[in-house]
């Protein structure tokens, strides 16, 4: 174990604690530890708290750490900046004249999970450090971020009642750092925090939005589908009438029933089936159009970059004006009978009744949704965050964007962004060029006949 006991000049080292540094990295943290070992609890200040060895797996310890972080987050930025550039440090496992540490093995992410119920979902991130004492023990450091103007007030989100009432924390309480402890805020301190919120710290959102993939144009879709329906009807009407021979008819019905095929229809039945099929023309064309274009056209996605600013839990709505959006479908799932509804579907007794090609399971909380509203297509993005200057990109196998006007050389795209904890709405717009016009007949031949 390294010798951390104070030497004869401990008083000099205590008074020499350098709070002009950022308390990150082993060198800076070792200086803090030496100071604590030299003077013990006397080292405590608004920016420094000391805890002797704790059980890092207990609820009491989690409550103590949460209380410190809440108090550090509710400091005034100007006052906090006087020491450690605004950071605050909690030392765990040290005391006057010794640093026994705590058992090794505490992981930052596990500690964060235990603290989150007390801190709430929007609490600022904190740093975690450690200095080894021996093969089994280490001193831990929990380092709170500098407070900023414009930040919200951070209340406690969960109560804890322990054996020592000094460790108790209450749901909804606001804690602040005193000279050497963390305590409930007084009225003047609450008002000061309200003023901190009003000072507005965060810069305005500067968002770059870019479409990945094409905005497609396709001409004569309905015309081609109507023509194919006409061909389907023509083929149905050309099918031979059922056999008149009673024995042949009975034998065919028996085989049909055994193997699951429909019995041959009488002339009257065929006319009735055809009439029903004709009456559903609009529905069939609409569904056929979705399948045809879904398997035939490439998908699109969105890339977003937030310049120099973190955006928490964004809700970004993109509107593609005078466009429609359809589900992107795997080209390998192209099925002629889904594009052109047959007058009478053949029955396969061994086929599954559920069409798995249309089943698209998305993970819980999938951050992309899309729909058509009136004449416009709408895509909504709800990722966990946009990080500063880091592109966030959606997949390009979710949806297909199609311009309603086949002659449009570009389309207008507008967007609106809101973020969690911010009432401001940020908006923008861009014009996106469309892809070259594709004729529906050529597209159909390419998708279903394999010809270019």
């Amino acid at each position: 174990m390294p010798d951390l006991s104070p030497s004869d000049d401990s008083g000099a080292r205590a008074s020499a604690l350098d709070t002009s540094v950022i308390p990150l990295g082993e060198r800076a943290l070792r200086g803090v530890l030496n100071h604590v070992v030299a003077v013990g609890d006397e080292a405590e200040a608004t920016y420094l708290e000391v805890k002797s060895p704790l059980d890092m797996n207990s609820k009491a310890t989690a409550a103590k750490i949460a209380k410190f972080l809440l108090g550090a987050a509710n400091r005034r930025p100007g006052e906090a900046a006087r020491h450690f550039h605004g950071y605050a440090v909690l030392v765990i496992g040290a005391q006057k004249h010794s640093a026994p540490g705590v058992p090794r093995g505490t992981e930052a992410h596990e500690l964060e999970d235990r603290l989150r119920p007390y801190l709430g979902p929007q609490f600022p991130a904190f740093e975690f450090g450690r200095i080894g004492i021996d093969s089994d023990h280490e001193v831990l450091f929990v380092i709170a971020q500098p407070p900023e103007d414009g930040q919200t007030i951070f209340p406690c989100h969960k109560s804890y009642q322990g054996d020592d009432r000094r460790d108790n924390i209450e749901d909804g309480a606001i804690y602040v750092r005193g000279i050497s402890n963390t305590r409930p805020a007084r009225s003047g301190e609450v008002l000061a925090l309200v003023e901190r919120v009003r000072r507005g710290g965060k810069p305005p959102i500067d968002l770059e939005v870019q479409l990945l993939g094409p905005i497609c144009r396709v001409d004569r879709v309905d015309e081609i589908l109507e023509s194919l329906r006409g061909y389907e009807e023509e083929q149905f009407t050309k099918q031979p009438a059922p056999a008149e021979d009673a024995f042949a008819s009975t034998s065919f019905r028996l085989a049909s029933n055994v193997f699951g095929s429909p019995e041959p229809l009488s002339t009257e039945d065929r006319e009735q089936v055809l009439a029903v099929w004709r009456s559903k023309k609009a529905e069939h064309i609409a569904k056929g159009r979705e399948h045809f274009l879904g398997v035939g056209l490439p998908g699109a996605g969105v890339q977003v970059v937030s310049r120099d600013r973190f955006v928490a839990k964004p809700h970004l709505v993109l509107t593609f004006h005078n466009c429609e959006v359809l589900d992107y479908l795997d080209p390998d799932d192209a099925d002629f009978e889904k594009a052109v509804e047959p007058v009478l579907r053949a029955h396969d007794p061994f086929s599954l009744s559920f069409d798995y090609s249309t089943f698209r399971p998305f993970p819980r909380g999938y951050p992309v949704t899309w729909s058509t509203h009136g004449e416009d297509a709408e895509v909504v993005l709800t990722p966990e965050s946009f990080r500063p200057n880091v592109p966030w990109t959606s997949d390009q196998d979710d949806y297909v964007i199609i311009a309603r006007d086949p002659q449009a050389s570009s389309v207008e795209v507008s967007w609106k962004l809101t973020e969690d904890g911010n009432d401001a709405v940020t908006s923008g717009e861009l014009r996106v060029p469309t892809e070259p016009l594709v004729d529906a007949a050529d597209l159909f031949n390419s998708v279903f006949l394999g010809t270019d």
Side-chain angles (χ1 to χ4, degrees), residues 64 73 155 216 224 241 245 270 300 372 411:
K64 289 177 181 179
C216 302
I224 295 302
D245 181 83
R270 291 171 64 82
T372 297
V411 300

Side-chain angles (χ1 to χ4, degrees), residues 395-417:
D395 294 334
Q396 289 182 239
D397 58 357
D398 287 332
Y399 53 84
V400 173
I401 300 287
I402 306 163
R404 293 186 182 276
D405 180 4
Q407 305 308 316
S409 60
S410 64
V411 300
E412 178 186 351
V413 181
S414 60
W415 55 266
K416 290 185 178 181
L417 172 74

Side-chain angles (χ1 to χ4, degrees), residues 241-312:
E244 295 296 334
D245 181 83
F247 176 77
S249 178
T250 302
S251 300
F252 187 84
R253 285 193 179 92
L254 179 60
S256 297
N257 288 333
V258 169
F259 293 104
S261 301
E263 297 181 4
L265 299 177
S266 67
T267 301
E268 182 180 346
D269 289 338
R270 291 171 64 82
E271 290 177 355
Q272 184 176 355
V273 167
L274 185 59
V276 171
W277 179 80
R278 286 171 176 167
S279 70
K280 295 183 178 181
K281 173 182 175 180
E283 176 186 342
H284 292 164
I285 287 183
K287 289 183 177 179
R289 188 175 186 278
E290 290 180 5
H291 181 77
F292 172 34
L293 298 179
V295 297
L297 297 176
V302 177
Q303 178 175 284
V304 180
V305 180
S306 176
R307 290 300 175 195
D308 304 322
R309 190 184 186 287
F310 181 87
V311 181

Side-chain angles (χ1 to χ4, degrees), residues 17-24 28-29 31-32 35 43 45-49 75 79-89 143-146:
L17 176 63
D18 184 5
T19 64
S20 67
V21 301
I22 296 176
L24 300 174
L29 294 179
V32 174
H35 179 66
T46 56
Y47 53 87
L48 181 60
E49 184 167 332
R75 292 175 296 155
E79 294 177 359
R82 296 173 186 171
H83 303 281
F84 287 150
H85 291 258
Y87 289 86
V89 182
I143 303 140
Q145 298 279 353

Side-chain angles (χ1 to χ4, degrees), residues 46-64:
T46 56
Y47 53 87
L48 181 60
E49 184 167 332
V50 180
K51 296 293 183 185
S52 55
L54 300 173
D55 177 3
M56 295 304 297
N57 294 315
S58 72
K59 291 183 179 180
T61 295
K64 289 177 181 179

